[in-house]
Amino acid sequence: MDEMFDKLQAVADRYDELNELISDPEVIADTQKFMALSKEEGELRETVDKYHQYQDVTKQIKDDDELLREKLDGDMEAMVKDELKDLTEQKAQLEEDIKVLLLPKDPNDDKNIIMEIHGAAGGDEASLFAADLFSMYSKYAERQGWKTEIIDENATEVGGFKEIVMMISGDKVYSKLKYENGAHRVQRVPVTESAGRVHTSTATVGVMPEEEDVDIDIDPKDIRTDVYRSSGAGGQHINKTSSAVRMTHLPTGIVVAMQDERSQQQNRAKAMQILKARVYDYYKQQEESAYNAERKSAIGTGDRSERIRTYNYPQNRVTDHRIGLTLNKLDRIMNGELDDIIDALIVSDQAAKLEDLKNNG
């Protein structure tokens, strides 16, 4: 416990130092430095607030203990004892909150994401379910005040998607949606099924943090870029110029093709954005596979082939298999009300990390 409070005091000292720095005219004049220090100050604020609350509660407990050593009348003694009971509970809760706040932060938590949804096993029905998942995440993003942008899509004749790729931007997007990586299974009667039998289909979801130049350095020599003429709708503009772009990252074999935008320059920029995210994700998955061979985390490996959730339409039920959570409100979840699932996954992840810290710390 002493070690934790040494750490807290160091955080509080740094917080005070940051507040002084961001009031310094020289720092204010340097926009980049000011923004970086303000961000750090914002990240420490909650931890320091909790620490100050903890200090106040601890002092009140000490004062009440001293009061009880004096001769008090019955009513006063009962009142102090009640207050002491409440304060002791508050202190225990603050200790738990602080432990969670001091857990190592995922460096990607603040980032925007690129989400890829693929219709997998189940043909047309899988592509329709991919479209349903796209709608669910879009509505969730809207509820969070985030912005969504479709980067690439491959639609099917029945109105679904073989694949759809979107960028979700906003506050701490990755911290909430990183748990969506994996295979999502649906059980329902397909619209094409006349006999009314329940079918099982699958769609996979990939969530990758959007990578800035500083996060991953791709050697231009490792990228082969081919340009070709766009195909599909677009009237007279199409096929006159080679505006479509295909980029291949030679070391990993990852390929990104982009033809949505009107100009080759725009397609290059979007293709590079996705390529960076996929290459980063590829190396991260390799690192995590090695790590997870030694220890399986409570919420799984993040492997896209791992079945993480089942959506059962006839019973209006959604089950997250990683944490054994079942909710009988599929209709609301598909409408973007994902908070209960995501909050439970975050709590489960934090509990696993605290357990790890206890065992290895």
Side-chain angles (χ1 to χ4, degrees):
M1 214 60 178
D2 286 348
E3 194 184 319
M4 182 169 104
F5 290 111
D6 288 347
K7 205 170 177 182
L8 275 172
Q9 192 52 55
V11 170
D13 292 346
R14 174 63 179 158
Y15 183 75
D16 291 341
E17 184 190 1
L18 286 165
N19 273 303
E20 280 180 34
L21 283 167
I22 57 180
S23 308
D24 182 334
E26 275 187 38
V27 172
I28 294 167
D30 183 341
T31 312
Q32 227 169 349
K33 192 173 185 183
F34 178 75
M35 282 174 71
L37 293 172
S38 297
K39 184 171 182 280
E40 189 186 346
E41 186 263 351
E43 285 166 358
L44 299 182
R45 194 178 303 135
E46 191 182 353
T47 307
V48 174
D49 283 349
K50 292 277 185 195
Y51 179 42
H52 289 155
Q53 284 176 45
Y54 185 86
Q55 287 175 315
D56 292 344
V57 167
T58 308
K59 185 181 180 303
Q60 283 176 266
I61 288 172
K62 189 170 169 250
D63 292 347
D64 282 358
D65 277 337
E66 283 174 9
L67 260 177
L68 286 174
R69 289 197 198 102
E70 296 171 16
K71 279 199 161 60
L72 301 172
D73 64 48
D75 286 351
M76 185 65 173
E77 189 175 335
M79 197 172 83
V80 173
K81 280 183 174 172
D82 276 352
E83 186 177 85
L84 203 50
K85 183 172 172 282
D86 287 347
L87 288 167
T88 307
E89 284 171 9
Q90 277 181 48
K91 184 184 172 198
Q93 184 57 55
L94 283 164
E95 280 174 6
E96 289 309 306
D97 293 348
I98 287 165
K99 279 181 199 167
V100 168
L101 287 165
L102 288 177
L103 282 172
K105 296 273 187 287
D106 182 332
N108 292 319
D109 274 352
D110 287 344
K111 290 184 180 164
N112 299 329
I113 66 159
I114 291 171
M115 177 181 273
E116 299 180 341
I117 304 170
H118 292 258
D124 283 349
E125 174 59 13
S127 81
L128 289 169
F129 183 52
D132 291 335
L133 289 177
F134 167 70
S135 163
M136 177 183 83
Y137 291 122
S138 299
K139 286 172 180 171
Y140 176 69
E142 197 181 325
R143 286 170 184 276
Q144 299 292 314
W146 296 338
K147 183 171 155 269
T148 57
E149 178 195 357
I150 295 172
I151 295 175
D152 193 19
E153 61 181 288
N154 184 349
T156 60
E157 287 175 10
V158 293
F161 293 110
K162 274 185 190 163
E163 175 191 32
I164 183 154
V165 183
M166 67 169 157
M167 162 92 76
I168 305 179
S169 323
D171 184 38
K172 295 184 169 57
V173 180
Y174 187 77
S175 73
K176 292 189 173 177
L177 288 178
K178 62 183 172 184
Y179 305 111
E180 298 305 298
N181 250 339
H184 296 242
R185 185 175 70 168
V186 62
Q187 294 171 326
R188 65 184 176 190
V189 178
V191 285
T192 52
E193 173 64 55
S194 53
R197 288 172 306 186
V198 173
H199 283 227
T200 298
S201 308
T202 310
T204 61
V205 175
V207 175
M208 300 168 289
E210 183 200 3
E211 291 314 310
E212 306 294 338
D213 288 344
V214 288
D215 295 312
I216 182 159
D217 199 16
I218 296 181
D219 190 331
K221 292 200 293 289
D222 288 341
I223 298 173
R224 188 180 73 231
T225 304
D226 302 304
V227 293
Y228 57 101
R229 290 182 176 179
S230 295
S231 58
Q236 296 180 350
H237 177 82
I238 293 295
N239 293 336
K240 287 191 177 174
T241 56
S242 298
S243 61
V245 172
R246 185 187 299 107
M247 285 186 179
T248 306
H249 183 248
L250 301 171
T252 59
I254 291 166
V255 180
V256 175
M258 191 59 57
Q259 62 170 34
D260 282 6
E261 302 297 333
R262 283 297 172 121
S263 77
Q264 188 191 119
Q265 195 179 358
Q266 286 172 308
N267 278 323
R268 271 179 189 271
K270 270 198 175 176
M272 181 54 100
Q273 197 177 26
I274 296 179
L275 188 74
K276 277 189 171 173
R278 284 186 184 164
V279 169
Y280 175 86
D281 188 57
Y282 174 86
Y283 288 123
K284 185 163 151 278
Q285 292 275 354
Q286 283 197 325
E287 277 173 33
E288 284 181 1
S289 296
Y291 173 69
N292 283 308
E294 294 170 32
R295 174 192 161 273
K296 274 259 194 192
S297 91
I299 58 150
T301 60
D303 184 340
R304 290 185 203 178
S305 62
E306 180 190 8
R307 193 188 76 206
I308 62 164
R309 199 175 293 148
T310 296
Y311 303 74
N312 184 305
Y313 275 71
Q315 292 169 17
N316 199 36
R317 186 182 73 220
V318 175
T319 300
D320 197 291
H321 304 290
R322 296 162 295 179
I323 55 174
L325 174 72
T326 295
L327 297 169
N328 292 302
K329 49 176 183 181
L330 176 141
D331 51 341
R332 288 164 61 185
I333 287 164
M334 297 313 288
N335 197 37
E337 294 180 33
L338 282 167
D339 290 317
D340 287 352
I341 296 179
I342 288 169
D343 290 348
L345 287 163
I346 290 170
V347 168
S348 176
D349 192 25
Q350 287 170 344
K353 284 174 179 165
L354 286 169
E355 193 61 32
D356 251 19
L357 220 54
K358 209 160 71 180
N359 296 336
N360 305 321

PDB file of all heavy atoms in Angstrom, residues 165-188:
ATOM      1  N   VAL A 165     -15.528  -0.994 -44.442  1.00  0.00           N
ATOM      2  CA  VAL A 165     -14.459  -0.428 -43.608  1.00  0.00           C
ATOM      3  C   VAL A 165     -14.842   1.004 -43.261  1.00  0.00           C
ATOM      4  O   VAL A 165     -15.193   1.779 -44.152  1.00  0.00           O
ATOM      5  CB  VAL A 165     -13.097  -0.422 -44.355  1.00  0.00           C
ATOM      6  CG1 VAL A 165     -11.983   0.110 -43.451  1.00  0.00           C
ATOM      7  CG2 VAL A 165     -12.751  -1.817 -44.866  1.00  0.00           C
ATOM      8  N   MET A 166     -14.802   1.338 -41.965  1.00  0.00           N
ATOM      9  CA  MET A 166     -15.115   2.720 -41.594  1.00  0.00           C
ATOM     10  C   MET A 166     -14.137   3.260 -40.567  1.00  0.00           C
ATOM     11  O   MET A 166     -13.520   2.511 -39.818  1.00  0.00           O
ATOM     12  CB  MET A 166     -16.552   2.845 -41.081  1.00  0.00           C
ATOM     13  CG  MET A 166     -16.841   2.168 -39.769  1.00  0.00           C
ATOM     14  SD  MET A 166     -18.484   2.688 -39.183  1.00  0.00           S
ATOM     15  CE  MET A 166     -18.901   1.341 -38.086  1.00  0.00           C
ATOM     16  N   MET A 167     -14.008   4.565 -40.597  1.00  0.00           N
ATOM     17  CA  MET A 167     -13.201   5.273 -39.610  1.00  0.00           C
ATOM     18  C   MET A 167     -14.160   5.843 -38.574  1.00  0.00           C
ATOM     19  O   MET A 167     -15.204   6.410 -38.931  1.00  0.00           O
ATOM     20  CB  MET A 167     -12.445   6.404 -40.306  1.00  0.00           C
ATOM     21  CG  MET A 167     -11.921   7.463 -39.367  1.00  0.00           C
ATOM     22  SD  MET A 167     -10.267   7.106 -38.835  1.00  0.00           S
ATOM     23  CE  MET A 167      -9.362   7.570 -40.298  1.00  0.00           C
ATOM     24  N   ILE A 168     -13.856   5.635 -37.287  1.00  0.00           N
ATOM     25  CA  ILE A 168     -14.666   6.241 -36.219  1.00  0.00           C
ATOM     26  C   ILE A 168     -13.741   7.169 -35.436  1.00  0.00           C
ATOM     27  O   ILE A 168     -12.713   6.749 -34.912  1.00  0.00           O
ATOM     28  CB  ILE A 168     -15.299   5.186 -35.288  1.00  0.00           C
ATOM     29  CG1 ILE A 168     -16.112   4.170 -36.103  1.00  0.00           C
ATOM     30  CG2 ILE A 168     -16.175   5.852 -34.226  1.00  0.00           C
ATOM     31  CD1 ILE A 168     -16.772   3.072 -35.290  1.00  0.00           C
ATOM     32  N   SER A 169     -14.095   8.467 -35.403  1.00  0.00           N
ATOM     33  CA  SER A 169     -13.249   9.476 -34.755  1.00  0.00           C
ATOM     34  C   SER A 169     -13.991  10.115 -33.593  1.00  0.00           C
ATOM     35  O   SER A 169     -15.200  10.343 -33.677  1.00  0.00           O
ATOM     36  CB  SER A 169     -12.881  10.591 -35.727  1.00  0.00           C
ATOM     37  OG  SER A 169     -12.675  10.084 -37.003  1.00  0.00           O
ATOM     38  N   GLY A 170     -13.246  10.424 -32.541  1.00  0.00           N
ATOM     39  CA  GLY A 170     -13.852  11.081 -31.384  1.00  0.00           C
ATOM     40  C   GLY A 170     -13.009  10.872 -30.145  1.00  0.00           C
ATOM     41  O   GLY A 170     -11.814  10.578 -30.226  1.00  0.00           O
ATOM     42  N   ASP A 171     -13.645  11.001 -28.998  1.00  0.00           N
ATOM     43  CA  ASP A 171     -12.931  10.920 -27.727  1.00  0.00           C
ATOM     44  C   ASP A 171     -12.783   9.476 -27.267  1.00  0.00           C
ATOM     45  O   ASP A 171     -13.773   8.773 -27.058  1.00  0.00           O
ATOM     46  CB  ASP A 171     -13.718  11.729 -26.677  1.00  0.00           C
ATOM     47  CG  ASP A 171     -12.984  11.789 -25.336  1.00  0.00           C
ATOM     48  OD1 ASP A 171     -11.744  11.907 -25.345  1.00  0.00           O
ATOM     49  OD2 ASP A 171     -13.655  11.692 -24.298  1.00  0.00           O
ATOM     50  N   LYS A 172     -11.524   9.002 -27.155  1.00  0.00           N
ATOM     51  CA  LYS A 172     -11.208   7.673 -26.617  1.00  0.00           C
ATOM     52  C   LYS A 172     -11.998   6.538 -27.287  1.00  0.00           C
ATOM     53  O   LYS A 172     -12.529   5.645 -26.635  1.00  0.00           O
ATOM     54  CB  LYS A 172     -11.453   7.637 -25.099  1.00  0.00           C
ATOM     55  CG  LYS A 172     -10.533   8.557 -24.307  1.00  0.00           C
ATOM     56  CD  LYS A 172     -10.751   8.397 -22.802  1.00  0.00           C
ATOM     57  CE  LYS A 172      -9.691   9.072 -21.977  1.00  0.00           C
ATOM     58  NZ  LYS A 172      -9.526  10.504 -22.219  1.00  0.00           N
ATOM     59  N   VAL A 173     -12.064   6.560 -28.615  1.00  0.00           N
ATOM     60  CA  VAL A 173     -12.843   5.549 -29.356  1.00  0.00           C
ATOM     61  C   VAL A 173     -12.270   4.143 -29.136  1.00  0.00           C
ATOM     62  O   VAL A 173     -12.986   3.200 -28.814  1.00  0.00           O
ATOM     63  CB  VAL A 173     -12.885   5.874 -30.876  1.00  0.00           C
ATOM     64  CG1 VAL A 173     -13.695   4.827 -31.616  1.00  0.00           C
ATOM     65  CG2 VAL A 173     -13.468   7.264 -31.108  1.00  0.00           C
ATOM     66  N   TYR A 174     -10.936   4.010 -29.273  1.00  0.00           N
ATOM     67  CA  TYR A 174     -10.314   2.682 -29.168  1.00  0.00           C
ATOM     68  C   TYR A 174     -10.536   2.062 -27.786  1.00  0.00           C
ATOM     69  O   TYR A 174     -10.727   0.855 -27.660  1.00  0.00           O
ATOM     70  CB  TYR A 174      -8.818   2.784 -29.480  1.00  0.00           C
ATOM     71  CG  TYR A 174      -8.129   1.433 -29.549  1.00  0.00           C
ATOM     72  CD1 TYR A 174      -8.267   0.616 -30.674  1.00  0.00           C
ATOM     73  CD2 TYR A 174      -7.345   0.970 -28.489  1.00  0.00           C
ATOM     74  CE1 TYR A 174      -7.647  -0.618 -30.734  1.00  0.00           C
ATOM     75  CE2 TYR A 174      -6.720  -0.266 -28.550  1.00  0.00           C
ATOM     76  CZ  TYR A 174      -6.870  -1.062 -29.670  1.00  0.00           C
ATOM     77  OH  TYR A 174      -6.261  -2.290 -29.721  1.00  0.00           O
ATOM     78  N   SER A 175     -10.546   2.900 -26.740  1.00  0.00           N
ATOM     79  CA  SER A 175     -10.686   2.371 -25.372  1.00  0.00           C
ATOM     80  C   SER A 175     -12.005   1.622 -25.193  1.00  0.00           C
ATOM     81  O   SER A 175     -12.104   0.710 -24.388  1.00  0.00           O
ATOM     82  CB  SER A 175     -10.588   3.504 -24.337  1.00  0.00           C
ATOM     83  OG  SER A 175     -11.763   4.299 -24.364  1.00  0.00           O
ATOM     84  N   LYS A 176     -13.032   2.000 -25.972  1.00  0.00           N
ATOM     85  CA  LYS A 176     -14.341   1.354 -25.821  1.00  0.00           C
ATOM     86  C   LYS A 176     -14.591   0.266 -26.858  1.00  0.00           C
ATOM     87  O   LYS A 176     -15.261  -0.719 -26.571  1.00  0.00           O
ATOM     88  CB  LYS A 176     -15.445   2.411 -25.899  1.00  0.00           C
ATOM     89  CG  LYS A 176     -15.422   3.336 -24.699  1.00  0.00           C
ATOM     90  CD  LYS A 176     -16.620   4.241 -24.639  1.00  0.00           C
ATOM     91  CE  LYS A 176     -16.600   5.023 -23.317  1.00  0.00           C
ATOM     92  NZ  LYS A 176     -17.713   5.967 -23.231  1.00  0.00           N
ATOM     93  N   LEU A 177     -14.060   0.445 -28.067  1.00  0.00           N
ATOM     94  CA  LEU A 177     -14.396  -0.506 -29.131  1.00  0.00           C
ATOM     95  C   LEU A 177     -13.331  -1.578 -29.365  1.00  0.00           C
ATOM     96  O   LEU A 177     -13.525  -2.469 -30.177  1.00  0.00           O
ATOM     97  CB  LEU A 177     -14.694   0.248 -30.438  1.00  0.00           C
ATOM     98  CG  LEU A 177     -16.030   1.020 -30.435  1.00  0.00           C
ATOM     99  CD1 LEU A 177     -16.226   1.765 -31.749  1.00  0.00           C
ATOM    100  CD2 LEU A 177     -17.222   0.114 -30.165  1.00  0.00           C
ATOM    101  N   LYS A 178     -12.204  -1.516 -28.623  1.00  0.00           N
ATOM    102  CA  LYS A 178     -11.149  -2.511 -28.860  1.00  0.00           C
ATOM    103  C   LYS A 178     -11.593  -3.930 -28.519  1.00  0.00           C
ATOM    104  O   LYS A 178     -11.051  -4.903 -29.040  1.00  0.00           O
ATOM    105  CB  LYS A 178      -9.890  -2.146 -28.066  1.00  0.00           C
ATOM    106  CG  LYS A 178     -10.058  -2.130 -26.555  1.00  0.00           C
ATOM    107  CD  LYS A 178      -8.758  -1.681 -25.885  1.00  0.00           C
ATOM    108  CE  LYS A 178      -8.926  -1.457 -24.407  1.00  0.00           C
ATOM    109  NZ  LYS A 178      -7.690  -0.937 -23.805  1.00  0.00           N
ATOM    110  N   TYR A 179     -12.626  -4.055 -27.659  1.00  0.00           N
ATOM    111  CA  TYR A 179     -13.095  -5.385 -27.262  1.00  0.00           C
ATOM    112  C   TYR A 179     -13.997  -6.026 -28.319  1.00  0.00           C
ATOM    113  O   TYR A 179     -14.462  -7.146 -28.135  1.00  0.00           O
ATOM    114  CB  TYR A 179     -13.865  -5.290 -25.933  1.00  0.00           C
ATOM    115  CG  TYR A 179     -13.071  -4.627 -24.832  1.00  0.00           C
ATOM    116  CD1 TYR A 179     -13.417  -3.370 -24.339  1.00  0.00           C
ATOM    117  CD2 TYR A 179     -11.948  -5.257 -24.283  1.00  0.00           C
ATOM    118  CE1 TYR A 179     -12.688  -2.759 -23.339  1.00  0.00           C
ATOM    119  CE2 TYR A 179     -11.205  -4.646 -23.290  1.00  0.00           C
ATOM    120  CZ  TYR A 179     -11.580  -3.399 -22.819  1.00  0.00           C
ATOM    121  OH  TYR A 179     -10.845  -2.789 -21.834  1.00  0.00           O
ATOM    122  N   GLU A 180     -14.268  -5.321 -29.421  1.00  0.00           N
ATOM    123  CA  GLU A 180     -15.195  -5.850 -30.443  1.00  0.00           C
ATOM    124  C   GLU A 180     -14.496  -6.745 -31.465  1.00  0.00           C
ATOM    125  O   GLU A 180     -15.148  -7.358 -32.304  1.00  0.00           O
ATOM    126  CB  GLU A 180     -15.899  -4.684 -31.158  1.00  0.00           C
ATOM    127  CG  GLU A 180     -16.757  -3.832 -30.240  1.00  0.00           C
ATOM    128  CD  GLU A 180     -17.790  -4.661 -29.483  1.00  0.00           C
ATOM    129  OE1 GLU A 180     -18.656  -5.277 -30.122  1.00  0.00           O
ATOM    130  OE2 GLU A 180     -17.711  -4.686 -28.232  1.00  0.00           O
ATOM    131  N   ASN A 181     -13.158  -6.822 -31.373  1.00  0.00           N
ATOM    132  CA  ASN A 181     -12.378  -7.684 -32.266  1.00  0.00           C
ATOM    133  C   ASN A 181     -12.811  -9.132 -32.131  1.00  0.00           C
ATOM    134  O   ASN A 181     -12.763  -9.688 -31.036  1.00  0.00           O
ATOM    135  CB  ASN A 181     -10.911  -7.627 -31.810  1.00  0.00           C
ATOM    136  CG  ASN A 181     -10.046  -6.898 -32.790  1.00  0.00           C
ATOM    137  OD1 ASN A 181     -10.389  -6.751 -33.948  1.00  0.00           O
ATOM    138  ND2 ASN A 181      -8.897  -6.432 -32.332  1.00  0.00           N
ATOM    139  N   GLY A 182     -13.185  -9.781 -33.222  1.00  0.00           N
ATOM    140  CA  GLY A 182     -13.492 -11.204 -33.137  1.00  0.00           C
ATOM    141  C   GLY A 182     -14.659 -11.601 -34.018  1.00  0.00           C
ATOM    142  O   GLY A 182     -15.151 -10.811 -34.833  1.00  0.00           O
ATOM    143  N   ALA A 183     -15.094 -12.854 -33.858  1.00  0.00           N
ATOM    144  CA  ALA A 183     -16.204 -13.386 -34.657  1.00  0.00           C
ATOM    145  C   ALA A 183     -17.518 -13.198 -33.905  1.00  0.00           C
ATOM    146  O   ALA A 183     -17.629 -13.573 -32.736  1.00  0.00           O
ATOM    147  CB  ALA A 183     -15.960 -14.858 -34.953  1.00  0.00           C
ATOM    148  N   HIS A 184     -18.490 -12.608 -34.588  1.00  0.00           N
ATOM    149  CA  HIS A 184     -19.817 -12.368 -34.025  1.00  0.00           C
ATOM    150  C   HIS A 184     -20.787 -13.337 -34.721  1.00  0.00           C
ATOM    151  O   HIS A 184     -20.884 -13.335 -35.951  1.00  0.00           O
ATOM    152  CB  HIS A 184     -20.249 -10.913 -34.282  1.00  0.00           C
ATOM    153  CG  HIS A 184     -19.385  -9.903 -33.598  1.00  0.00           C
ATOM    154  ND1 HIS A 184     -19.854  -9.042 -32.647  1.00  0.00           N
ATOM    155  CD2 HIS A 184     -18.051  -9.612 -33.742  1.00  0.00           C
ATOM    156  CE1 HIS A 184     -18.859  -8.264 -32.222  1.00  0.00           C
ATOM    157  NE2 HIS A 184     -17.763  -8.582 -32.880  1.00  0.00           N
ATOM    158  N   ARG A 185     -21.495 -14.132 -33.929  1.00  0.00           N
ATOM    159  CA  ARG A 185     -22.365 -15.171 -34.493  1.00  0.00           C
ATOM    160  C   ARG A 185     -23.831 -14.769 -34.362  1.00  0.00           C
ATOM    161  O   ARG A 185     -24.244 -14.275 -33.301  1.00  0.00           O
ATOM    162  CB  ARG A 185     -22.112 -16.477 -33.732  1.00  0.00           C
ATOM    163  CG  ARG A 185     -22.865 -17.676 -34.279  1.00  0.00           C
ATOM    164  CD  ARG A 185     -22.463 -18.924 -33.536  1.00  0.00           C
ATOM    165  NE  ARG A 185     -22.965 -18.919 -32.168  1.00  0.00           N
ATOM    166  CZ  ARG A 185     -22.961 -19.986 -31.375  1.00  0.00           C
ATOM    167  NH1 ARG A 185     -22.442 -21.118 -31.815  1.00  0.00           N
ATOM    168  NH2 ARG A 185     -23.426 -19.929 -30.155  1.00  0.00           N
ATOM    169  N   VAL A 186     -24.591 -14.970 -35.420  1.00  0.00           N
ATOM    170  CA  VAL A 186     -26.018 -14.634 -35.370  1.00  0.00           C
ATOM    171  C   VAL A 186     -26.853 -15.903 -35.568  1.00  0.00           C
ATOM    172  O   VAL A 186     -26.506 -16.759 -36.385  1.00  0.00           O
ATOM    173  CB  VAL A 186     -26.396 -13.558 -36.431  1.00  0.00           C
ATOM    174  CG1 VAL A 186     -26.150 -14.054 -37.846  1.00  0.00           C
ATOM    175  CG2 VAL A 186     -27.853 -13.119 -36.279  1.00  0.00           C
ATOM    176  N   GLN A 187     -27.920 -16.018 -34.793  1.00  0.00           N
ATOM    177  CA  GLN A 187     -28.873 -17.124 -34.945  1.00  0.00           C
ATOM    178  C   GLN A 187     -30.244 -16.516 -35.206  1.00  0.00           C
ATOM    179  O   GLN A 187     -30.786 -15.811 -34.342  1.00  0.00           O
ATOM    180  CB  GLN A 187     -28.891 -17.977 -33.666  1.00  0.00           C
ATOM    181  CG  GLN A 187     -27.566 -18.695 -33.450  1.00  0.00           C
ATOM    182  CD  GLN A 187     -27.472 -19.369 -32.094  1.00  0.00           C
ATOM    183  OE1 GLN A 187     -28.003 -18.882 -31.097  1.00  0.00           O
ATOM    184  NE2 GLN A 187     -26.797 -20.504 -32.045  1.00  0.00           N
ATOM    185  N   ARG A 188     -30.774 -16.738 -36.413  1.00  0.00           N
ATOM    186  CA  ARG A 188     -32.091 -16.196 -36.742  1.00  0.00           C
ATOM    187  C   ARG A 188     -32.623 -16.871 -38.004  1.00  0.00           C
ATOM    188  O   ARG A 188     -31.895 -17.567 -38.711  1.00  0.00           O
ATOM    189  CB  ARG A 188     -32.022 -14.681 -36.941  1.00  0.00           C
ATOM    190  CG  ARG A 188     -31.186 -14.217 -38.117  1.00  0.00           C
ATOM    191  CD  ARG A 188     -31.101 -12.703 -38.171  1.00  0.00           C
ATOM    192  NE  ARG A 188     -30.218 -12.231 -39.241  1.00  0.00           N
ATOM    193  CZ  ARG A 188     -29.842 -10.979 -39.375  1.00  0.00           C
ATOM    194  NH1 ARG A 188     -30.252 -10.063 -38.503  1.00  0.00           N
ATOM    195  NH2 ARG A 188     -29.057 -10.605 -40.370  1.00  0.00           N
TER     196      ARG A 188
END
